[in-house]
Amino acid sequence: MATLDGFPASFYGEPGVLGMLANGISAFLVLLQNFNTARTGVPAEGVENILAGVHLILIGGVCQLIAGLLSFRKYDHLSGTAFIGYAALWGSYGATRIFLGASQPITTNLTLSHDLMSNMTPLTALTTNLSLPISHSAIAGLVPYILLSFLLAFCSATVNVIMPFVFGAITLTLLFEAVAVGVSSSWPLVVSGILELLILLFAVYGSAALLVKGLAQRYVLKGFGTPLFNVLLLGTNSPAASAQSLGQEKKKNTKYAEPQALFFFCDTVSPFIMLFYSFGYVTSFSLGAVWISIISAAQLLSSYYAHLRQDGYLVTKAGLHATYWLTKAWEEFVLSAVIVSEPKGEVATGRQAMVGDWFFVAVALLLLVVSLSNDTLEVTHNALFLLLSVSTVPQIPLQGYYMFFGVSCSLFTSASLYGTFCRLINTIAEKSLIPVGPQPISSDRLRSILSCFCSPGKLQGALPSSSSASSLTNQIPDALFYLTNGVAALSALHTASSSQSVSFLRLSVPWVLVSGAVVQGFVSRLQVRGGQRFGSIIPSFYLSVWATWTWYRFTGPLLHISPIGSYGFTAGAIAFLVINAFLMLIAAYGNLVLLSLTVVMEAVLVCFLLSTLQQLPYQLEIAMLAVFSVVCLYGALASLVNCTFRQSVMPMGPPLVKDVTQQQKSSPALSCPVADSRLTSGLLKISRLLDDGGVCGIPTDTVYALAASCKNPQAIENIYNIKDRPAEKPICICISSVEQLVAAKPPFSSLLWEFMRNVYPGGISCIVSKGDWLLRLGVGPAYDRVGTNDSIMIRVPDHTVTGHLCNITGPLAITSANPSGEPDSTHHDMVISRLGHKIQGVLCDGVSNEVVASTVVNCLKIDEGTISIVREGCVPAVKVRQIFERVKTSML
């Protein structure tokens, strides 16, 4: 819906209500258990714990997750990060309660014999051994959330008054919950219960304040709208930050909140839990694997929103880290809970036969190289991840393996914690207040180094055409696609002797299944979102291949599948070969790297077919899987570099089969220059065209508009010719904020000022009297070309891109970007196709927020107590009148 009373123009409501209520109700559920345990001295157990866990997952996890997703779509950096982070916390805490309820009493565990343990199934061992280390596992998970919750409380103080109290109470609650787990006394439970009651009270009040704000369209209850302190007090924009100004500008020019803080948040929790386990504080990783799985799912969400922001680098990095943590978590689960009773020598031999971690090392090195044009924090973080991936190479002797891994996790956690704070504060302030360091290498220098494989003449501009920009957008998930397949292929590599090792077979399951099936399913979803032709078919098919491979090659020997049972897999392998042959044809329309991948996969599937017939030549399979991994490594590097620099820096090879229909569509040259709204260079390009007297299509908070600079009266006249607009229809002006009007000192009444402050910025346009104040506003020579002789219509869009453009160019004369009498343009492609041959440029921003233009309100007689609706647009007329009546009442 459109904006009212200056609130964001968004289809979504205020998600903070749902997010804070989810926190309050979840805290109330834990409060009841804590007070009951402190009163009776008997901790909750059995069904009571299971039901509490289910409620925590549904309310604190799922409901708060929805609030976080909506917050990201409302461009709310803080709430998006906090709500998804707390959703992972409550979901993990709920899972802990369920595990407690399902586990056996501790006294039973202490009497278990080694013989009994060795005869247990993995599931029985999991539930039986869980009670003993569960307290330590819970503390390992709670400590990082305590630190992160404190950071969220501090950062929220720069936004409003209520959230710091909510998040601060959660921080103290988690602290005393951790104390309660570690000591036998009941006083921490009582203190924790009191703090949880405060969480409930603060959350209810905050939710009521936001709810009343939404209903009354203004702040009625105190707590929102005014921060505890100004975020700018944390620092100043230093010269060192200028090197990454482009990255900061990207955050402003987007419809979605910046997910980098959420990414660093997740990268703080996972290594901290691993740290506790590596140093021996946690003996079983059953519960730790669940905590890391939940936070890794949140990390995949940061990758998803990076994809929505067309940030290919963060899509790949977040997906890579989530894959790594999921894989390592379930590998340690297998080591600590499934094969714990097997001889240590056999386990060590099985571990040393695994080579999948080397692909993580290679990709981490590539990511470090690509990030050299980013800030120092990013480079340091990638360097520590490289160290982390090296520390988990299974060929390292067990004597030093966990110590090396634990130290690496400690360093990585520290960098991630600092990164969370930096990214969150800097995105809230939309400038670099917390230092992140300069670029080690300039973007142009790194691009020239990486383009040594590219023929000269291909690096000619960041956005040469709308078709190439669309192509690069569709390729954003490709790097993650190659990465997941590379990890799966290298992890599936084994010899005839290693296939006889039970430890090796069990350890290989998470390595192939997580990357090849789980995360690749996520990649398939991104490909669907990107709209690439046949984009989701290949990852979806390879998901099935690796899942089947895991089931037959690794789980099959453990389940003792008979030769007769293998015939079903033989039929499946033949089907895979036929389907992949068709995919080779599809890949021929793509690029040479993708075609090579499908061709090698055909050979890999032949090896899979031979294995079902018990005729597998292991040397051939090893060679094919190794070649497949090398192709994936190059594909990941080239895709990542091309998406990062938004240019074809590294070649992927031409398509072997030309798509005639696509050639016919793309052969005509673009009728006008285009620019990407998410890039500072895009805004500057359009602003130059406007300053030079051009007419450009630009996005607004409603539909696309044609814009001309008020410095160029002739350009405003050209708008009439471009649209075939009747001369008697006036054109309005667009400014960035009400403060610009205040500086011009127009002779408006206090009632008109108050009304404007309640409808700007947003989808309402006000008609007011003309005067010399327009000259002070910057209209200048266009005074006679805009509005009528005695009135002018003013727009203040609630759109970040349009606001920044107006700040660069000054007031713009705008009208809807459509031929007169035709429907409004709701996508930049519509502007290009309908008017591109007549205008000088288009600022591309995708789908518009609305499908109709703004509501026009005549305010010429507002001092007489009346307004009139000239045109009803995205804001209903009844809502406009409600705002006016409320403003009039408040002025009495």
Side-chain angles (χ1 to χ4, degrees), residues 546-565:
W546 294 120
T548 307
W549 187 291
T550 304
W551 179 255
Y552 179 72
R553 297 296 298 277
F554 298 125
T555 311
L558 300 175
L559 299 177
H560 305 292
I561 296 178
S562 64
I564 297 177

Side-chain angles (χ1 to χ4, degrees), residues 411-671:
L411 297 173
F412 189 76
T413 301
S414 301
S416 299
L417 190 64
Y418 182 75
T420 305
F421 177 63
C422 290
R423 299 306 187 199
L424 199 53
I425 289 294
N426 292 345
T427 50
I428 290 173
E430 295 195 328
K431 60 173 62 177
S432 185
L433 297 179
I434 308 301
V436 292
Q439 292 173 300
I441 300 178
S442 68
S443 299
D444 292 338
R445 175 63 176 163
L446 181 61
R447 183 167 56 240
S448 64
I449 294 174
L450 294 173
S451 63
C452 60
F453 299 101
C454 188
S455 60
K458 286 194 177 183
L459 304 176
Q460 301 292 331
L463 195 61
S465 68
S466 62
S467 60
S468 62
S470 175
S471 175
L472 286 172
T473 299
N474 290 338
Q475 294 172 11
I476 285 176
D478 286 358
L480 192 55
F481 162 73
Y482 288 113
L483 187 154
T484 54
N485 279 287
V487 174
L490 205 60
S491 301
L493 192 151
H494 64 285
T495 62
S497 59
S498 61
S499 64
Q500 304 300 319
S501 171
V502 174
S503 298
F504 173 82
L505 295 176
R506 286 175 168 169
L507 288 171
S508 296
V509 169
W511 278 88
V512 180
L513 197 61
V514 168
S515 58
V518 177
V519 182
Q520 190 149 209
F522 170 74
V523 174
S524 178
R525 176 65 183 90
L526 294 186
Q527 295 281 21
V528 171
R529 173 78 192 187
Q532 188 175 357
R533 185 182 185 188
F534 303 121
S536 64
I537 294 179
I538 296 179
S540 299
F541 173 68
Y542 285 179
L543 181 158
S544 304
V545 169
W546 294 120
T548 307
W549 187 291
T550 304
W551 179 255
Y552 179 72
R553 297 296 298 277
F554 298 125
T555 311
L558 300 175
L559 299 177
H560 305 292
I561 296 178
S562 64
I564 297 177
S566 299
Y567 293 155
F569 288 96
T570 303
I574 295 173
F576 282 158
L577 284 168
V578 174
I579 296 173
N580 193 71
F582 283 102
L583 295 184
M584 291 166 58
L585 179 61
I586 293 175
Y589 285 87
N591 55 63
L592 194 57
V593 175
L594 185 61
L595 178 60
S596 302
L597 190 75
T598 55
V599 170
V600 179
M601 175 56 85
E602 190 77 359
V604 171
L605 290 174
V606 169
C607 294
F608 182 70
L609 174 62
L610 293 175
S611 70
T612 63
L613 299 173
Q614 313 301 320
Q615 300 294 324
L616 174 64
Y618 278 95
Q619 292 79 5
L620 175 63
E621 183 184 74
I622 292 173
M624 291 300 100
L625 288 174
V627 172
F628 188 88
S629 300
V630 171
V631 174
C632 287
L633 188 63
Y634 178 81
L637 174 62
S639 300
L640 178 60
V641 170
N642 293 342
C643 287
T644 300
F645 293 104
R646 293 175 177 265
Q647 297 174 2
S648 296
V649 179
M650 299 190 68
M652 297 288 286
L656 293 189
V657 180
K658 303 288 185 180
D659 191 336
V660 179
T661 58
Q662 287 297 108
Q663 276 189 314
Q664 292 174 349
K665 290 179 182 179
S666 60
S667 57
L670 277 182
S671 50

Side-chain angles (χ1 to χ4, degrees), residues 198-244:
L198 291 178
I199 295 174
L200 177 63
L201 295 176
F202 289 139
V204 169
Y205 176 83
S207 301
L210 289 177
L211 193 59
V212 171
K213 182 198 82 169
L215 296 175
Q217 299 302 316
R218 63 189 179 91
Y219 292 111
V220 177
L221 299 176
K222 302 295 183 181
F224 290 92
T226 304
L228 283 177
F229 66 90
N230 193 330
V231 66
L232 298 178
L233 297 176
L234 294 177
T236 58
N237 204 10
S238 61
S242 61
Q244 41 115 22

Side-chain angles (χ1 to χ4, degrees), residues 99 117 120-130 133 277 283-287 289 329-342 506-507:
F99 272 59
M117 287 290 297
M120 285 184 175
T121 65
L123 181 60
T124 307
L126 167 63
T127 56
T128 306
N129 283 291
L130 186 60
Y277 176 73
T283 56
S284 173
F285 209 67
S286 304
L287 188 58
W330 288 103
E331 178 193 26
E332 296 301 336
F333 163 76
V334 172
L335 283 169
S336 64
V338 177
I339 60 176
V340 63
S341 60
E342 295 184 10
R506 286 175 168 169
L507 288 171

